[in-house]
């Protein structure tokens, strides 16, 4: 996976729009820009930060770059936030600090800055200052890729190709490899050659494979082996021809296999309409996997536009198969559609069959009074029942009930015990709440070190509140050290 980035592509274009008494910043003397920066002009502050970082117009000085970037970043300048994140990542002008790196990347990414989204995605993907979260990385890579960032396009394609952080989807992989390849990315060009030679997400096409291999400039061995792939692809195509024949004869397993091939683009171009057609054929014969896949496709908007009514149709069929999963999924669709009473009905059916997530979600309905009369005692009981079936998030929700005295007598000791369990299981809100308990002395003696420990764990999962709290604690400590002459 690549980990390179373009430093502020064409960043100085923004400065040409910033005028002072008829001059652009580049036309002003540095002393005048400094004066403007000291007066609080954000564009001037970022200009100075970038200039000191790169050594343009002034001598390179990373400490001054950090100084000016901090001023602009704290006023919301996204480019300055990205620059400051890079300084903390590389230890330029400031000591290396993974949490501050993530904090500033997050601030810039939230403003839609593609390069910041890409850097933050890398943090999630590789677990740098954050707990590894490939799904979150894919979400951010996609935003940066859609903005045209070639590195993000390549990384996103690789995620789809390998099924890392996203469902395995060769057609999506080809789509993003192609975008990156057309921008000259050699690795993307090589991987397109692989896709076309092996038929991943497309009908095998050895001419296209040879074209992309040659464009990549590093695939002589693969070019020499293309004739071997030609024989292999003949066998693969023969297998699918026979499977398609069996599917037309009514074999539900063959219908399912063909549907999956069209859905994922295996040895053929991805064709959602044909995937739906064959899934439906298998589903009509009661194939549980086909029914589930159809419902999920419509529920998530994967390969076809999202359609809750169609998802409900197929999950409703699944409820006749005596599998509580279908009632749970059906209830989730009704909840998203705002049909809370029907959601309660099917959460109740799934809960009766000991489906842990359904029990927790039914408890949520009682807690908030959605689709049923509000009853926090029943909610607390439901959260407890879900913990008995080892539902991780239920431990956190039950802890909140004990903290607030909702449905149960207020009991800080019980709350802390439950928060500890949820925290140990990686529930981020529990880690943040446990940090607050230690910082504020709720149910326990104040302990700033323990608070920082749990805030850090939550921050490593990308919790912005924890990042901001840690930054505030760190700033307060540094201010005290400066006051005492220790810094």
């Amino acid at each position: 996976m690549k980990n390179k980035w373009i430093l502020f592509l064409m960043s100085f274009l923004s400065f040409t729009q910033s005028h002072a008494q008829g001059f652009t910043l580049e036309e002003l003397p540095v002393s005048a820009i400094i004066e403007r920066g000291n007066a609080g002009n954000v564009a001037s502050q970022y200009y100075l930060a970038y200039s000191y970082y790169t050594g343009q117009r002034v001598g390179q000085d990373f400490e001054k770059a950090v100084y000016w970037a901090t001023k602009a970043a704290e006023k919301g300048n996204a480019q300055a936030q990205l620059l400051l994140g890079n300084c903390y990542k590389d230890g330029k002008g400031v000591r290396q600090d993974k949490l501050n790196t993530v904090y500033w990347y997050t601030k810039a990414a939230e403003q839609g800055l593609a390069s910041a989204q890409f850097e933050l995605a890398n943090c999630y993907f590789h677990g740098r200052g954050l707990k590894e979260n490939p799904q979150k990385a894919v979400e951010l890579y996609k935003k940066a890729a859609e903005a045209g960032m070639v590195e993000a396009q390549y990384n996103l394609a690789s995620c789809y190709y390998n099924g890392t952080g996203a469902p395995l989807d060769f057609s999506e992989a080809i789509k993003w490899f192609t975008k990156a390849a057309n921008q000259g990315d050699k690795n993307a060009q090589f991987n397109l050659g692989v896709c076309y030679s092996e038929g991943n997400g497309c009908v095998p096409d050895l001419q296209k494979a040879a074209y992309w291999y040659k464009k990549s400039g590093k695939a002589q061995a693969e070019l020499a082996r293309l004739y071997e792939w030609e024989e292999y692809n003949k066998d693969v195509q023969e297998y699918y021809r026979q499977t398609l024949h069996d599917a037309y004869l009514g074999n539900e397993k063959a219908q399912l296999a063909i549907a999956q091939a069209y859905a994922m683009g295996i040895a053929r171009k991805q064709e959602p309409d044909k995937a739906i057609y064959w899934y439906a054929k298998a589903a009509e014969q009661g194939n549980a996997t086909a029914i589930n896949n159809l419902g999920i496709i419509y529920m998530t908007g994967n390969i076809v536009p999202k359609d809750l009514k169609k998802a409900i149709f197929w999950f409703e069929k699944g409820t006749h198969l005596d599998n509580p999963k279908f009632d749970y999924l059906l209830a989730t669709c009704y909840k998203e559609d705002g049909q809370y009473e029907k959601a309660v009905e099917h959460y109740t059916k799934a809960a009766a069959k000991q489906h842990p997530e359904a029990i927790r979600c039914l408890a949520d309905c009682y807690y908030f009074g959605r689709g049923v009369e509000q009853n926090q005692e029943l909610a607390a009981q439901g959260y407890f029942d879900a913990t008995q079936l080892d539902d991780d998030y239920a431990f956190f929700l039950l802890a909140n009930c004990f903290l607030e005295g909702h449905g149960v007598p207020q009991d800080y000791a019980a709350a802390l015990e439950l928060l500890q369990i949820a925290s140990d299981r990686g529930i981020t809100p529990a880690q943040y709440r446990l940090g607050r308990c230690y910082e504020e002395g709720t149910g326990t003696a104040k302990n700033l070190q323990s608070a920082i420990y749990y805030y850090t764990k939550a921050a490593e999962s990308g919790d912005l509140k924890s990042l901001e709290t840690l930054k505030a604690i760190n700033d307060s400590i540094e201010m005290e050290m400066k006051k005492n002459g220790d810094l």
Side-chain angles (χ1 to χ4, degrees):
M1 185 67 73
K2 290 184 175 180
N3 186 27
K4 62 181 181 177
W5 52 282
I6 301 173
L7 179 64
F8 312 127
L9 180 64
M10 299 177 70
S11 60
F12 274 104
L13 288 177
S14 63
F15 298 132
T16 62
Q17 299 172 2
S18 196
H19 291 77
Q21 298 177 346
F23 293 94
T24 67
L25 287 175
E26 290 197 5
E27 293 172 320
L28 289 173
V30 172
S31 58
I33 300 173
I34 291 174
E35 185 177 342
R36 287 167 57 83
N38 284 327
N41 183 273
V42 177
S44 298
Q45 291 167 347
Y46 174 61
Y47 184 95
L48 289 166
Y50 185 84
S51 297
Y52 280 116
Y53 188 89
T54 61
Q56 294 185 24
R57 295 196 67 191
V58 293
Q60 193 172 55
D61 188 326
F62 292 126
E63 289 187 4
K64 287 184 179 179
V66 168
Y67 172 80
W68 288 110
T70 301
K71 285 185 173 294
E74 289 177 345
K75 291 180 179 178
N77 184 284
Q79 290 282 7
Q81 291 166 346
L82 173 62
L83 176 55
L84 195 53
N86 289 333
C87 289
Y88 277 112
K89 181 184 75 170
D90 299 325
K92 291 181 176 179
V94 68
R95 68 177 183 275
Q96 281 187 314
D97 187 327
K98 291 180 180 179
L99 287 177
N100 264 312
T101 299
V102 170
Y103 176 79
W104 289 113
Y105 283 160
T106 301
K107 285 290 190 181
E110 286 179 341
Q111 296 194 62
L113 190 63
S115 46
Q117 292 165 342
F118 175 73
E119 289 295 342
L120 186 58
N122 284 338
C123 291
Y124 276 111
F125 192 90
H126 298 288
R128 296 171 184 159
L130 290 161
K131 185 166 60 178
E132 280 189 20
N133 188 337
Q135 290 79 15
K136 184 66 175 178
V138 166
E139 178 186 326
L140 289 161
Y141 281 141
K142 190 169 187 179
K143 289 180 179 180
E146 288 171 344
M149 190 173 188
V150 63
E151 293 90 348
Q153 291 170 345
Y154 175 81
N155 284 7
L156 180 61
S158 297
C159 289
Y160 281 121
Y161 189 87
N162 296 305
T164 305
L168 186 72
D169 192 329
F170 292 133
S171 292
E172 278 294 299
I174 283 185
K175 169 185 169 181
W176 291 106
F177 277 142
T178 301
K179 287 181 181 290
N182 286 333
Q183 293 198 65
D185 188 286
K186 297 299 182 183
N187 288 323
Q189 292 166 348
F190 174 83
N191 286 346
L192 273 179
V194 173
C195 289
Y196 282 113
S197 65
E198 298 181 7
N200 293 332
C202 59
V203 175
D205 188 326
L206 300 189
Q207 285 187 328
K208 286 185 178 179
Y211 171 81
W212 287 114
Y213 278 146
K214 288 175 182 177
K215 289 278 284 187
S216 75
K218 55 177 184 178
Q220 292 305 311
E222 282 70 19
L223 281 167
R225 286 200 296 267
L226 281 181
Y227 76 93
E228 296 176 10
W229 280 111
E230 185 172 15
E231 293 303 313
Y232 168 77
N233 286 324
K234 286 179 181 178
D235 293 337
V236 171
Q237 293 302 313
E238 178 56 35
Y239 164 77
Y240 278 109
R241 273 193 292 272
Q242 183 59 51
T243 303
L244 186 59
H245 179 269
D246 293 343
Y248 274 107
L249 290 175
N251 185 304
E252 71 175 77
K253 290 183 179 179
Q255 291 167 345
L256 180 63
I258 287 296
Q260 290 170 331
Y262 278 120
M264 297 174 64
I266 300 174
R268 65 200 57 244
K269 181 182 177 182
Q270 185 184 51
E271 295 189 57
D273 289 345
K274 288 185 178 180
I276 295 295
Y277 173 83
W278 287 111
Y279 273 137
K281 286 290 187 183
E284 286 164 3
Q285 297 195 64
N287 186 286
T289 301
I291 293 171
N292 178 76
N293 288 4
L294 278 169
I296 294 295
I297 285 171
Y298 285 118
M299 181 183 183
T300 61
N302 180 25
I303 79 171
V304 297
K306 185 172 181 175
D307 190 327
L308 285 178
K309 288 184 179 179
K310 289 182 179 179
I312 287 169
F313 173 83
W314 287 109
F315 288 142
E316 184 71 54
K317 284 188 172 294
T319 61
H320 301 297
L321 298 177
D322 197 35
N323 185 332
K325 172 181 69 173
F326 288 110
D327 273 304
Y328 167 71
L329 291 169
L330 181 58
T332 301
C333 287
Y334 278 128
K335 178 184 174 183
E336 186 176 344
D337 199 40
Q339 300 185 58
Y340 294 116
E341 290 185 4
K342 287 188 176 181
V344 167
E345 176 189 344
H346 289 281
Y347 278 141
T348 301
K349 289 181 179 180
K353 295 176 182 177
Q354 300 297 291
H355 190 287
E357 290 172 295
I359 294 172
R360 167 167 51 81
C361 290
L362 180 60
D364 281 340
C365 293
Y366 279 109
Y367 189 92
F368 294 105
R370 292 173 180 161
V372 68
E373 185 177 347
Q374 189 176 37
N375 188 326
Q376 292 186 338
E377 288 184 7
L378 284 178
Q381 181 63 53
Y383 293 143
F384 173 78
D385 292 343
T387 66
Q388 300 307 292
L389 294 173
D390 232 22
D391 184 272
D392 295 339
Y393 205 80
F395 286 96
F396 166 64
L397 296 173
L398 184 58
N400 275 340
C401 290
F402 279 112
L403 278 172
E404 305 298 336
H406 290 168
V408 292
Q410 194 171 53
D411 186 334
Y412 290 138
L416 287 173
E417 182 180 345
L418 290 162
L419 284 174
Q420 186 68 65
I421 294 170
S423 175
D424 291 344
R425 295 183 178 205
I427 303 301
T428 301
Q431 294 164 345
Y432 170 75
R433 194 67 183 85
L434 196 53
R436 274 187 57 194
C437 287
Y438 279 113
E439 184 182 9
E440 298 169 358
T442 303
T444 183
K446 287 186 179 182
N447 187 326
L448 189 57
Q449 286 186 327
S450 292
I452 290 172
Y453 173 79
Y454 287 106
Y455 284 143
T456 301
K457 287 178 76 70
E460 287 174 348
S461 295
D463 185 71
L464 187 56
K465 288 189 297 184
S466 296
L467 283 166
E468 290 174 341
T469 302
L470 285 169
K471 185 177 183 300
I473 292 172
N474 186 61
D475 289 348
S476 177
I477 292 171
E478 288 192 357
M479 189 178 297
E480 189 69 21
M481 291 174 70
K482 286 179 182 178
K483 181 179 177 182
N484 295 331
D486 294 326
L487 188 64

